[in-house]
Amino acid sequence: MLSAFTAQSIVEIKQRDKSKIESILAYGDRLLVGLNTGSLRVYRVNDPIDENKAHNGPTEEQRPPSSSNSKAVDLMREEEKFSKHKVEQLAIVREARLLVSLSNGLISIHDSQTYQLQETLVKTKGATAFAVTSNIVKDPTTGVLLIVSRLAVAVKRRVILWSWHDSELHPDTAEFTLVTGVKTLTWATGIKFIAGLTSSYVLVNIETSEVTDIVGPGSIGGAPGQDGGRFGGVGVSTISYMGLGGVAPKPLATRLGEGEMLLAKDINTLFIDTEGQSLGRRQIPWAVAPEAIGYSYPYLLALQATKGTLEVRNPETLTLLQTISLPNASQLHIPPPNISLAHAGKGFLVLSERCIWRMGALDYDSQINALVDRGRLDEAISLLGMLEDALLRDKEGRLREIKMLKAQTLFDLRRYREALDLFTEVSAPPQRVIQLFPPLIAGHISSRSKATNDAKEAEGHTIAAITDTEASGGADEEKESSIKETTSADTELNRQSSGASQKDPDGAKGADATEGQQHDNSPMLEGKDLKAATAELRPFLVSARTRLQRYLNPDGTLKDTQGRANTATSHVQEAQELLLAQVPESVEERRQQLLSTAQLVDTTLFRAYMFASPSLAGPLFRLDNFCDPDVVKEKLIETERYNDLVDFLYGKGLHEQALELLERLGRKEQGKETSSQLAGPHRTVAYLQNLPPEMVDIILRFVEWPLSEDPELGMQVFLADSERAETLPRERVLDFLEKKDRALAVRYLKHITQELNDTTPGFHQRLAEDYIQGLRQQHVSPEWEEDALAFLRTSRYYKPYKALQMLPADDPNLYEARAIVLNKMGHHRQALDIYVFKMKDPGKAEEYCNQLQLAEITSATSPKRGKRSSATDLEEKTTSIYHTLLSLYLSPPPPHKPQWAPALEILAKHGARMPAASTLDLIPEVLPIRDLESYFRGRIRSANTIVNDSRMIAALRSSLAFSEEAKLRLGDGLPRGNGGRNRHVLITEDRVCGVCYKRFGGSAIKVLP
């Protein structure tokens, strides 16, 4: 059991002395002892007992020593005439230097220095108990902090109250009358006290005089007919009182932690708050009613006078932690916090009629260690939760470690969900959790195989024991647990808590049974147990991945923490939770450890998915992960999950391995009748389309077989409407495609120049050369020829003189292409010469001129304001392209003859666009005038059109001016429109300005238009 306290006898009355101890009071280094003879003995308490003595003190079965080599107390004086009757109770009002005593039913006030009687409170005749409290309060009138001490005295049914403000007695007293006689008084707060009555408890507020009945089970009291006690409200003492002439059980009460109190009567208990409301907690499993109860931070104390023992319990779990044998002990004395500052009465006293024991406490760290060594993990966790941070070394770290030990124990007991939830709660290092699993999940770090072998080789070694069980009602819960200390076979960080066996006559048999049960729990996980444990492991690993992402980038580098709110120190502390070893100071070493942990977590998560739910492995690979490639490849190839393997290799950047696998599988599956997703080059093309431009070497290497199998599909790697395809190095792609197939290169050039609008001259030149090379062939498709001529005509980025060098003048297939290139060079007469004399196509010659004329008109300077310029004016100033064409028709170079019909058609259609003088000079005299009728008509019609346009514009401007003038003079005639000079405004008394909202009155008025 836990050795939280050790007893040391400090005062013993010798056998020849017939005096008996009735009451004690400890404050400072003084110990006052009231005797049955009315005497008061004053002792000086020496230094506390040594810690080593406390640690090596007596066991629970041994009686504490009655003497020590060094005297614990020295008798300073004895006041034999302190009282004429036995001193039943003592208390001190330290601020007023007063000593309060209860003797013969009267309250007496003594000086705390000289112990001389100052006053006997006559009003307290018949008093049975009293209680003193001191608190710091703020004066409502002055705002000054005061120490207010209050004395409450129980006199039959009444409670009389005195108070001291600092050291001055307040002249007024308060009195409260209750329903029955008051047996005990306990202060709940500075203004509330609990009165233990004959049959119930009440809470009294001294400021409001409000009395609240406390409803509780059994003998605690409550509503009529309530039966909530563990034995129907009839305990051992009650039976004695009712039937055997015993005394009624004393109503007990004590303050616990902040805002909590415990009421106890007979074997019934009730936990309440300072408002008198029940906290809803279960009762303490006492088999016998305690003689006294108390609270010594952080434990609950109960003195069993019939057994002569002091019980130490955890006030949260109510578990019995220690039993100290104190023969004939009858009272507890716990100094209140305002007197003893040693942590709210840490060093308390126990007394019998002949002896006083001082209870020394072991340091809290040692108590925690003892609980952990004995496997009482729940109790250790509860105790750590109650203790303040300043009382422990690294409280958070200890609490986290113990919770991990508990989770490890729960795991060995096959309570996987509780174990993994607890691991997640404390952010346990992933390696510590993963190694609890067999190699199928944990790989080489698994400790399960080692633990199994060690269990077979060495007898008597056990792994994790059962967790603390909650105490339950009945006498069986009073039996204690003796703990076997063991350690695991792997590593210090996997230290397991030991097994517990009940302390009873068959203890050896119980220990053997427990040991055998634990050996059954320890083998490697298999079957349903392994599946259940793996299912609970996955959420833990996902949580660990999320935490690791706070520190690691997807590429394995550490994230920059300077912009975070937390400091570098807290960053290291957070990282420590993820690692088993101490976080190194070196940034690179820390990165390596975090990266190894991330790889372990992701690889284990992959194994867990493959074991329980293989379909979930694919989504894991589509996220950034640190899985071990060798483990993943081996497992996925074994299970023939090639799609998942390709996704994984892509995510890890192992593109060559992925593409080699796709090519091998694509060629292998292609000949099969089954419609596999990996058959053919489709999967390879899709993979290549997702590679970045930096991987162009790999793309060009592995795109060859898709281009050979299906050129249309393979070209999608370069022609797809995606950012990655558009940003590939075009020069390298083009060189590759030209070596592979010129047609593919032309298609790629068309794509980048026409669809992507790439204006690089080199690409345009290469495309022009490829088109010309194609046109020189004898059998050219019409589509090819049309595309080639359109490109030569529209592109402005290739070099015409280089293209012209590739166009022989005597090749009929290249006539039109040559004419287009000459047009680009500005050699229009030579281009028209090809259309007129070589191709003999007047229509294309005329179309050529039309396009040039349209371009010239569009690019001409905009007309000046106030003067309208016409096409005829432009033609009068410059020589028109039509003039050049006409000259070729009418004055052709030898050996060609004049072509009258095309010439007359040009004159009829475009004569108005040519200068009249130069045109007439070209017309030969032999040409009849009647053949020129269409030409003259066109010229006259053009001139008339210009005159008519001018007249129409003048008329329209005159009409517009007249309309605007009419609106100004007469208005537009629309409702609420412009009234012109006929506009009128009506001003009334209520009319206000639309801008400033002031009334017009007799002011001058200006109407805005």
Side-chain angles (χ1 to χ4, degrees), residues 170 209 472 605 643 740 845 891:
H170 198 274
S209 300
S472 58
L605 183 59
N643 280 317
K740 186 74 176 175
S891 302

Coordinates of all heavy atoms in Angstrom, one line a residue, residues 170 209 472 605 643 740 845 891:
H170 N -16.3 42.6 18.4 CA -17.4 43.3 17.9 C -18.5 43.3 19.0 O -18.8 42.2 19.6 CB -18.0 42.6 16.6 CG -18.9 43.6 15.9 ND1 -20.2 43.6 16.1 CD2 -18.7 44.4 14.8 CE1 -20.8 44.5 15.3 NE2 -19.9 45.0 14.5
S209 N -29.1 35.1 7.6 CA -29.8 34.3 8.5 C -30.7 33.2 7.8 O -31.6 32.7 8.4 CB -30.8 35.2 9.4 OG -30.0 36.1 10.1
S472 N -16.0 -0.2 -4.6 CA -17.4 -0.4 -4.6 C -17.9 -0.7 -3.2 O -17.0 -1.0 -2.3 CB -17.9 -1.5 -5.5 OG -17.2 -2.7 -5.1
L605 N 0.6 3.4 -41.0 CA -0.7 3.7 -41.5 C -1.0 2.9 -42.8 O -2.1 2.4 -43.0 CB -0.9 5.2 -41.7 CG -2.4 5.6 -42.1 CD1 -3.4 5.2 -41.0 CD2 -2.4 7.1 -42.2
N643 N -2.5 0.1 -59.7 CA -2.9 1.5 -59.7 C -2.5 2.2 -58.5 O -2.0 3.4 -58.6 CB -4.4 1.5 -59.9 CG -4.9 1.3 -61.3 OD1 -4.3 1.8 -62.3 ND2 -5.9 0.5 -61.5
K740 N 11.3 11.8 -84.8 CA 10.4 10.7 -84.8 C 9.5 10.7 -86.1 O 9.4 9.7 -86.8 CB 9.5 10.9 -83.6 CG 8.5 9.8 -83.3 CD 9.2 8.5 -82.8 CE 8.2 7.4 -82.5 NZ 8.9 6.2 -82.1
A845 N -6.0 37.2 -109.1 CA -5.3 38.4 -109.2 C -6.1 39.6 -108.7 O -5.6 40.5 -108.0 CB -4.9 38.7 -110.7
S891 N -0.5 46.2 -121.1 CA 0.8 46.3 -121.6 C 1.7 45.2 -121.1 O 2.6 45.4 -120.3 CB 1.4 47.7 -121.3 OG 0.6 48.7 -121.8

